[in-house]
Amino acid sequence: MKCLIFIFPLIFSIKTNAQTIVSIKKPVVNPVLSVYDAPNLEANVYLINKDYIVFQGDEGIRNVTSADTKSFSVHKVYDEMARNKDGVFVEGNFVKTDTLGFKYIGTTGNGHLWKTKTKIYKNLTELTDFTASEFIPLKDSKGNYSSYQYYQYKDQVYYYDKLVKDIDVNTIVFLDWELCYDKNGFYDRGEKVFFEGTPVTYLTPYLQKAKNHVLNRENILPGSDADSFIKLHGDYAKDKNRAYHGSSIVRGADAASFVSVNEHFAKDKNHVYSDSNAVPDADPNTFVLLDKFYFRDKNHVYYQDQILPIDIADAGKLKIWNTDYVYTFITDGKKVFLAETLLDKPKFDAPSFGVIADQALCYDKNGIYISSYDAKTNEVLYKKIPFNYSGVVDRKDIIEIPGYIFYKDQAYSDHNYASVFNHVTQEHIDILKNKNKDLIKINGSIQFRTNYDFLLGKVGNNVYWNDKKTSADAETFENIKDTYYKDKNNVYFYSYNTGLTTLKGIDPGSVRVFNAFLADKDYIYTKTHRIIKSKNIELLAAYEGSWPMCAVGNPVSSTYYVFKNAEGYWLALISDKSVEINEIPVSDPNLKQLLEIR
């Protein structure tokens, strides 16, 4: 459940090996707790009980449905949808059907489209006019799928509960929102667009044509001439009178001499443009494109519309590196820049500077550097990886794979709190490339850790966190759910910052998952707190308590849960710091209204 993401408090704790031991705390009985009148239910969540489910939807919807919950599972992406061995649930409502080939297709109008191998449904209703195998998400002529309601049935487009005969399924191209176009016209939410009785046609993702006008949706761009319109690089375009970038006119541009250089730059006889803005002082006659974001003229080197502090005499020495990120690096042989920012922490040796594997990972003759972001100064900083550098660093001695950087026979891992490993072999590298393993140092020796989670794994007959052995029993150690683990002796909560925390007071032999909580033969639990007894436990409702995003100045998030067990009805207020409970009599009017008890 989305509201149960707690910060883990370390209370009553003692350190033992790589572990913390925490004694489970009793809840605080608060007789003031009472059920709200018309509480704000957590939306789009299933509460799973022994033989029924509760679905809480938008606007206070609460559906209770009998179900085989042992086979029940919620869709991984669309949490309004679920299924079990008997059928499919849509916002808590049950459709009995063979679930073979079950697939969620998407939304349309006010409903969900889904299908099995032989049938297709909108919400709870079978669409008998369609053959399931021929109803599919629509791929446009450029190979893109729509995220806005468009589907294909045979050779037609299905949109918002109807077949749209006007749109040509073979030439359709999707734009942002619910716009699209084809060889015949331009469409807004499935409807062909007209301007003064004339069909609108596509020019660019931002501009359309009607009669001899260039339109920004329904607005005529003044002075435009659609008959002479030319699409240029990226979002640039022009006609005989105007130049355009995106949906706007490029003010002051000379249309006759206007040309796009790439998707980011254009020029005319008077100016250089970065997107739609003229770059002050840039000379279009000596413009030279250096890279997608860099250019130079007779006087300066520019990043977009900013002049870089580079002597134009050094322009012949410029080197540029693109990365997998938006930014690029540039050096003039004296200084190094990330985009337009001078990198001087540390000061790189510019003549030997290089970038590794299209990442923002750098090196020079003195070392290899990894980046970090300083939130206080809003700066990207680089630190030298603490390898034992012998001689001048050479690119051929550097290998990078996910999580590791290798230099000669050394390895650096951000999987292991920035550890450096010595005497690394090619065999180590090959295994790390192909296995779910990490390196770990045990008594100075490099070994492999088979991973359970980040920094947590098994080495031989022991469970390790980072490079520290825990007391967990490796033979019986297993994941319960998410960050909960157990072995034959204990139940654990795991954090990569603090390792395994032993939850003393939970029975490992009977522990199980109950919705977002743990339960054993005696009680249900949330992290370090006990809640109520688990005999005949049911979760009936969850609703908003205090959430920081809504309650300004309140740093503690909390949620109310309505439970029922063998002893009666209970209200629990659970935050990341405490658990408060109170027994609620069945005669309570707000409880009866919420649960529809008569």
Side-chain angles (χ1 to χ4, degrees), residues 81-90 95-105 113-123 125-127 130-136:
M81 301 289 298
R83 64 171 169 163
N84 67 4
K85 66 181 182 62
D86 301 316
V88 174
F89 298 81
V90 183
V95 179
K96 185 175 177 59
T97 184
D98 181 1
T99 60
L100 182 66
F102 170 79
K103 184 176 182 180
Y104 184 84
I105 303 174
L113 285 173
W114 56 278
K115 68 179 181 177
T116 65
K117 185 176 181 179
T118 59
K119 298 179 180 180
I120 184 165
Y121 297 82
K122 178 187 174 184
N123 291 336
T125 304
E126 183 182 355
L127 303 180
F130 300 96
T131 303
S133 61
E134 296 184 272
F135 195 106
I136 59 176

Side-chain angles (χ1 to χ4, degrees), residues 41-47 53-67 72-75 78-83 87-95 102 104 106-114 121-125:
L41 296 178
E42 183 187 357
N44 297 331
V45 63
Y46 283 92
L47 313 178
I53 57 98
V54 178
F55 176 79
Q56 298 183 166
D58 293 325
E59 299 179 356
I61 291 174
R62 183 175 177 274
N63 292 328
V64 181
T65 308
S66 298
F72 185 88
S73 62
V74 179
H75 196 282
Y78 302 98
D79 49 13
E80 305 97 326
M81 301 289 298
R83 64 171 169 163
V88 174
F89 298 81
V90 183
E91 296 183 356
N93 298 295
F94 180 66
V95 179
F102 170 79
Y104 184 84
T107 58
T108 181
N110 61 347
H112 301 277
L113 285 173
W114 56 278
Y121 297 82
K122 178 187 174 184
N123 291 336
L124 312 179
T125 304

Side-chain angles (χ1 to χ4, degrees), residues 144-159:
N144 301 311
Y145 287 100
S146 169
S147 57
Y148 298 103
Q149 321 284 346
Y150 289 95
Y151 306 96
Q152 180 177 350
Y153 183 65
K154 296 184 177 179
D155 61 350
Q156 290 184 278
V157 174
Y158 179 92
Y159 176 85

Side-chain angles (χ1 to χ4, degrees), residues 322-389:
N322 290 303
T323 72
D324 289 344
Y325 304 97
V326 173
Y327 297 117
T328 53
F329 293 85
I330 187 171
T331 175
D332 59 359
K334 298 176 182 177
K335 300 178 291 294
V336 177
F337 299 85
L338 175 61
E340 77 280 22
T341 303
L342 176 66
L343 296 178
D344 56 1
K345 296 177 183 179
K347 184 175 177 60
F348 291 105
D349 178 73
S352 60
F353 179 84
V355 177
I356 299 169
D358 297 326
Q359 302 293 326
L361 183 69
C362 309
Y363 70 95
D364 63 15
K365 68 177 184 179
N366 300 311
I368 304 168
Y369 306 85
I370 193 165
S371 64
S372 62
Y373 174 70
D374 189 329
K376 292 182 179 179
T377 62
N378 194 30
E379 291 180 295
V380 176
L381 306 177
Y382 281 81
K383 66 175 182 178
K384 185 187 293 187
I385 297 174
F387 287 133
N388 179 22
Y389 296 101

Side-chain angles (χ1 to χ4, degrees), residues 200-219:
V200 171
T201 56
Y202 171 86
L203 292 175
T204 77
Y206 307 96
L207 303 175
Q208 301 83 42
K209 173 184 176 180
K211 298 181 178 179
N212 192 28
H213 302 301
V214 176
L215 307 177
N216 171 2
R217 297 298 298 273
E218 67 274 10
N219 300 314

Side-chain angles (χ1 to χ4, degrees), residues 274-318:
S274 174
D275 294 335
S276 60
N277 301 313
V279 181
D281 301 325
D283 178 42
N285 298 313
T286 57
F287 176 97
V288 176
L289 181 68
L290 301 174
D291 189 75
K292 57 185 178 180
F293 294 115
Y294 293 98
F295 74 93
R296 67 175 176 87
D297 62 12
K298 64 181 182 179
N299 299 313
H300 303 292
V301 176
Y302 298 81
Y303 174 80
Q304 295 180 341
D305 59 352
Q306 299 185 48
I307 296 173
L308 297 181
I310 292 175
D311 191 329
I312 196 63
D314 294 321
K317 304 174 186 176
L318 293 173

Side-chain angles (χ1 to χ4, degrees), residues 33 70 77 91 106 166 178 188 222 226 232 264 291 327 385 461 507 515 520 570:
L33 284 185
K70 290 182 179 179
V77 178
E91 296 183 356
D166 290 340
E178 295 175 60
D188 184 353
L232 304 174
H264 301 291
D291 189 75
Y327 297 117
I385 297 174
N461 295 320
D507 175 53
N515 291 285
D520 66 9
W570 298 84

